[in-house]
Amino acid sequence: MGIVLRIVVGGLLVAHGLVHLMWFVSAKDASWPFRLDRSWLLPEQARRPVAIALIAVVVAAFALLGLAVCGVPILASTWVGLAVVGAVASLVVLVVFWDRQLGWGVAIDVAILVVALWQPGWTDRLD
């Protein structure tokens, strides 16, 4: 995988992780999809602590995954684990605080999981 492509893909993975910080932006608009006050699964007092923990995992995992894809030697061999942890934690956040506008996030996480678990031939060059 060429260096430019590594940087672009790594940057997109970091950006995907950072998008999860939008959950902490308070918006008055009821149509804003990133809302911690709406959860069909968690009681109100557990929402923020659970969200902080999960989103910290997501941001850290995708930041490290982006560096791994860019070729940082210590991280390059751990990209599969980082991808699985980040994508699963992200999916949990999306399910717990579901809004139909977050469907693209689910699609991105599923695609990352498929690549990490299937490991097509081109991913050999990530190690």
Side-chain angles (χ1 to χ4, degrees), residues 38-52:
R38 294 187 297 220
S39 174
W40 62 276
L41 195 57
L42 291 175
E44 188 173 344
Q45 58 273 33
R47 291 176 187 163
R48 190 159 184 84
V50 169
I52 289 170

Side-chain angles (χ1 to χ4, degrees), residues 39-101:
S39 174
W40 62 276
L41 195 57
L42 291 175
E44 188 173 344
Q45 58 273 33
R47 291 176 187 163
R48 190 159 184 84
V50 169
I52 289 170
L54 285 171
I55 292 169
V57 170
V58 171
V59 171
F62 277 110
L64 293 171
L65 178 59
L67 291 172
V69 169
C70 285
V72 173
I74 295 171
L75 298 173
S77 63
T78 64
W79 77 268
V80 172
L82 292 168
V84 170
V85 168
V88 168
S90 175
L91 284 169
V92 171
V93 171
L94 292 171
V95 167
V96 169
F97 300 101
W98 178 251
D99 185 284
R100 62 182 169 73
Q101 296 178 65

